[in-house]
Amino acid sequence: MLALLPPLIVLCPLAAATILLLSAGRMPPPAARVLAAGAVGLAAALTLWLAVRFLSAPPPTYRLDVVLWHWMRVGGFDARIAFTLDPLSLVMMLVVTGVGFLIHLYACGYMRGDPDVARFFACMTLFVAAMLVLVLSSDLLCLYIGWEGVGLCSYLLIGFWYAEAANGAAARKAFIVTRIGDAALLCGLLLLATRIGGLDIATLLQPGHLGGGPVAEAAAALLLGGALAKSAQVPFQVWLPDAMAGPTPVSALIHAATMVTAGVYLIARLHPLFLAAPTVMAATAVLGLVTLLLAAGSALAQTDIKRILAFSTISQLGYMFLALGTGAWGAAIFHLVTHAIFKALLFMAAGAVILRVHHQQDIFRMGGLGRAMPGVFAAFAAGAAALAGLPLVTAGFYSKEAILQQAWHAAPLLWAGALLGAFLTALYISRCLLIVFLGPVRTAPTGRTEASMAIPLAGLSVLALTGGLIEMPNAIAPVHLLFRLLAPVLGPPTAEDAEGGAGLLLAGALAPLAGIAVAWGLWRPRAGAIAPADDGLARGARAGWGFDAIYGLLLVRPFLALGWLNRRDLFDRVPDLLAAATRWGARLLGRMQDGRVRRYAGWIAAGTVAALCLAVRP
C-alpha cells in the first residue's frame, strides 16, 4: 500500500492539469478553482498520511523504491521511470504539496474574475506535478523530465497575461537564461552516463563509482551550472526579478516551494559527487555569498514591493548555496523549508495589499495600510520577522543560525559575509514594512481580503513563527528533529551543526536587531513624505548592479548584430537555389504549353516514333 502513494500523489495534480487543459477554457471558473485546489489539497493530505506511515514504520534502509516502468534499454544503459521515497524526498514533498495547496487556495480568491482562470490553474497544477516528479525521481534522466517541466510551466505562468509585451519578454528571458543552465545540466548527465554507464542515483552515489579527479570536478561543475541558473544565483540571477510579471500566486509558487529550490535539492541529493569535487564546493560557497550580498543590496534600493521580495528570494537562496558549499546539507534543507513558508507568506500578503490598493506596487505610494488591513499587516509582519531572523521567536532565525554556525567553522570570512547579509536582510524588509504599513496614508485601500486568501495567510503566519522549533542549537535547546530525520540521506549531524557557542549565537541574534534599529532610524513614520534614494549607488542597486546592461552589451547586441549581418547566409542559399531551380524548370516546361495544336501533334508523333524505335531495336 505504501508503494502506491508516491505515484498517486503525483497523479492528483497531473490529472487535474490534464482535465483543465483538455477543457480548452470551457470549464466554468468555479469548477476549475475547485478542481485545482482540491487536487493539490488531496495530494497534500496523501503526503501527510504517507509521512505518518513512513515515519511510524520506516523501511529498514529508510528508502522505498517504486519502479513504474523501464523507459529505455540501449546497450548497457537502462533508464527507468521510478520514484524513491526517503526522508529527503519526503520533506520536499511536504513542502511542495503543503505550501502549494495554500497557494492554490489563495489563488482561488486572487484570480477571481480572470477570464482565463482554467488555463491558469492548469499550469499551476502541472507545475506542482512536475516538481513532485523532480523530487521523487530515483533516476537522473527522470529527474530531468521534472526539471524541464517546471521550466516550461514557469514560462507559461510568468507570461500568463501575454497581452502585455513586457510579460512575454519576461517569460522569454526566464526561459532562455534557465535554458543555459539546463544545457549545462544535460551535459553533466551525459558525462556521468558515459562514466558510470547509467543515471540511477543510488548506483551513482555508491562508494568507488565516482572517485575524484577531473571527471568528478567537471561533472559537478556542470551540475552546479544547472543549479545556479534554476535557483537564480550569480551570474544567472537576472531572470528572477522580471518574473514578477506573472500573477502574485505564481510569484509565491515559483519563489517559495518549487522552481527556485530545485537547484538546492539537486546538490543536496548528489552531495557525495560534490564532496569529491572540492574546487566546485568552494565555488558554490563563494557564489552563494556573493549572490546573497548583491541581491540584498538590490532589495534595499527597490521601490516595487514584489521586486523587493524577488531580490530577497535570490539572497536567501544564496544562503542555501553558501550552506551547500560548506557541507551543511541539513542546514540548507532546513532553510529551504523555512524560506518556503515565510516567503510564500510575504508574497501572498503583498498580493492582498496590491489588490486592495488598485494594483499599485510602488511602496512609496502606499503607507498607513496597517490601520486599514490589520490582518494582512500582522501576516506580513510575521513573514518579515521570519525573513529578518528575529531571535528566538521566528523560524528564520533558527535556520539562518544553523548556516552561520557552519560558515564559521568552514571559514570565518564566509561567516562575516553571511552575518552582513543577515543585517541587510533585516534592514530592507523592515524598510518595506515601515513604508507600506505605517505613516500617512497615500493610497486609500478598498474592499476586503477574501476568506480563501486570509486562511492561508493565517496558517503560514503560525508556521513562520513556530516552524523553526524542529531544529535548534544546543545553546538554546538540544532539539534536532529535522537533522536526525535527514541523517539516513545526508549523514548524521556534525558537531558544527549543533555547537556554535554563545558568542556566535549572540552575534547571529544581534545582526537582525541592528538592521531593524537602523531601519527604524531611517524610515520611521514622519509627518513629511519619504522618498526613495536617487543617487548613483541607489540607481545601480535598483538596476540589479547593471548585470542586464552588461549582458545586453556583451551578449545580446553582438548576437543581434551577427544575426542581421548573416541574415542571408550560405545555409539560406540552399533552399533559395532549390526554389529558383523549381521556378526555372516550371518556366521551361511551360513553354511547351503554347496552345498550338499542330505542335502538340508533332510532339506526339515524335514520341510515338521514338517509342517504336526503342521497341524494335535488336
Side-chain angles (χ1 to χ4, degrees):
M1 178 61 184
L2 198 63
L4 294 177
L5 287 178
L8 185 59
I9 291 169
V10 176
L11 184 62
C12 288
L14 183 61
T18 303
I19 294 170
L20 288 167
L21 288 171
L22 292 178
S23 71
R26 291 187 292 271
M27 181 178 291
R33 292 194 292 267
V34 170
L35 176 61
V40 180
L42 179 59
L46 290 174
T47 302
L48 187 60
W49 183 31
L50 175 64
V52 172
R53 292 281 305 276
F54 184 86
L55 297 177
S56 60
T61 60
Y62 281 87
R63 176 188 176 93
L64 177 66
D65 292 310
V66 182
V67 179
L68 300 180
W69 66 85
H70 286 267
W71 184 6
M72 63 180 78
R73 287 190 180 98
V74 181
F77 180 80
D78 183 13
R80 302 179 302 170
I81 302 297
F83 295 155
T84 293
L85 180 65
D86 60 14
L88 178 57
S89 60
L90 182 61
V91 169
M92 294 298 298
M93 289 174 67
L94 288 169
V95 171
V96 172
T97 58
V99 178
F101 167 64
L102 293 177
I103 293 172
H104 275 72
L105 183 60
Y106 172 90
C108 290
Y110 189 92
M111 298 300 292
R112 192 181 301 277
D114 193 289
D116 286 335
V117 68
R119 176 168 61 90
F120 172 81
F121 278 112
C123 297
M124 289 279 282
T125 50
L126 185 60
F127 207 139
V128 173
M131 191 65 190
L132 287 171
V133 170
L134 192 156
V135 301
L136 276 169
S137 296
S138 65
D139 188 281
L140 286 177
L141 199 56
C142 183
L143 181 147
Y144 191 72
I145 296 175
W147 188 277
E148 291 295 327
V150 295
L152 170 64
C153 293
S154 69
Y155 169 78
L156 296 174
L157 287 168
I158 293 169
F160 176 74
W161 289 319
Y162 57 84
E164 296 289 336
N167 297 349
R172 290 192 300 272
K173 183 178 182 179
F175 190 79
I176 292 170
V177 173
T178 56
R179 176 61 52 187
I180 298 170
D182 295 349
L185 175 62
L186 182 58
C187 291
L189 297 185
L190 294 174
L191 179 59
L192 290 174
T194 55
R195 176 66 181 267
I196 307 299
L199 290 174
D200 179 71
I201 295 176
T203 304
L204 180 70
L205 300 183
Q206 285 180 0
H209 266 155
L210 294 173
V215 175
E217 294 276 0
L222 290 169
L223 297 181
L224 176 62
L228 291 173
K230 194 68 79 177
S231 295
Q233 298 294 284
V234 170
F236 303 105
Q237 81 283 8
V238 292
W239 69 268
L240 195 58
D242 290 352
M244 296 301 96
T248 299
V250 173
S251 303
L253 191 63
I254 291 177
H255 291 210
T258 54
M259 180 172 170
V260 295
T261 61
V264 179
Y265 169 78
L266 177 69
I267 296 177
R269 172 62 73 185
L270 301 179
H271 67 277
L273 171 62
F274 286 84
L275 285 173
T279 303
V280 178
M281 284 275 289
T284 304
V286 171
L287 288 173
L289 179 61
V290 170
T291 301
L292 80 88
L293 292 176
L294 288 180
S298 288
L300 190 57
Q302 300 301 314
T303 59
D304 185 309
I305 188 170
K306 288 179 67 176
R307 288 182 71 88
I308 293 172
L309 298 179
F311 279 104
S312 169
T313 297
I314 298 172
S315 181
Q316 296 305 301
L317 287 164
Y319 269 109
M320 299 176 209
F321 273 80
L322 172 61
L324 293 170
T326 58
W329 321 111
I333 297 300
F334 185 25
H335 198 56
L336 184 154
V337 173
T338 60
H339 176 264
I341 294 169
F342 63 69
K343 188 52 62 67
L345 173 61
L346 285 169
F347 268 111
M348 289 194 283
V353 169
I354 291 168
L355 280 184
R356 293 182 59 179
V357 295
H358 321 293
H359 296 278
Q360 176 61 253
Q361 295 184 197
D362 189 340
I363 62 173
F364 290 95
R365 296 185 180 180
M366 301 177 188
L369 298 180
R371 296 183 294 275
M373 47 180 78
V376 175
F377 174 39
F380 195 95
L387 171 60
L390 200 64
L392 302 179
V393 295
T394 63
F397 167 74
Y398 294 104
S399 60
K400 202 170 293 184
E401 189 62 35
I403 296 174
L404 287 170
Q405 290 178 10
Q406 185 70 24
W408 170 264
H409 291 285
L413 186 60
L414 295 177
W415 172 83
L419 196 66
L420 175 60
F423 168 79
L424 293 175
T425 301
L427 185 63
Y428 68 69
I429 197 60
S430 299
R431 165 183 177 262
C432 180
L433 180 73
L434 293 170
I435 293 173
V436 171
F437 292 99
L438 302 181
V441 176
R442 300 178 184 88
T443 301
T446 58
R448 293 178 61 86
T449 302
E450 293 193 24
S452 63
M453 298 169 65
I455 292 172
L457 291 176
L460 288 172
S461 297
V462 174
L463 291 175
L465 297 177
T466 63
L469 300 179
I470 60 175
E471 188 66 43
M472 303 169 70
N474 283 341
I476 297 176
V479 179
H480 307 295
L481 300 179
L482 182 64
F483 287 179
R484 288 174 181 169
L485 172 64
L486 296 173
V489 181
L490 303 180
T494 62
E496 291 83 359
D497 291 326
E499 300 291 346
L504 292 180
L505 194 64
L506 182 61
L510 290 178
L513 293 176
I516 294 172
V518 172
W520 177 262
L522 294 175
W523 297 289
R524 67 181 181 273
R526 296 185 178 92
I530 301 176
D534 198 34
D535 54 28
L537 181 62
R539 288 194 296 270
R542 197 171 298 129
W545 305 110
F547 275 86
D548 279 309
I550 293 171
Y551 291 159
L553 182 64
L554 298 181
L555 299 175
V556 178
R557 289 185 181 179
F559 182 80
L560 294 176
L562 183 62
W564 185 85
L565 292 173
N566 202 35
R567 66 192 184 279
R568 303 183 67 83
D569 60 74
L570 178 63
F571 294 102
D572 286 341
R573 289 302 184 188
V574 175
D576 290 346
L577 289 174
L578 290 175
T582 302
R583 289 194 298 269
W584 180 80
R587 294 194 197 98
L588 182 63
L589 294 174
R591 291 180 181 177
M592 299 174 62
Q593 307 295 326
D594 56 2
R596 298 180 182 180
V597 178
R598 292 181 179 178
R599 183 171 294 180
Y600 293 167
W603 281 111
I604 293 172
T608 304
V609 171
L612 290 173
C613 290
L614 292 173
V616 301
R617 188 181 63 180

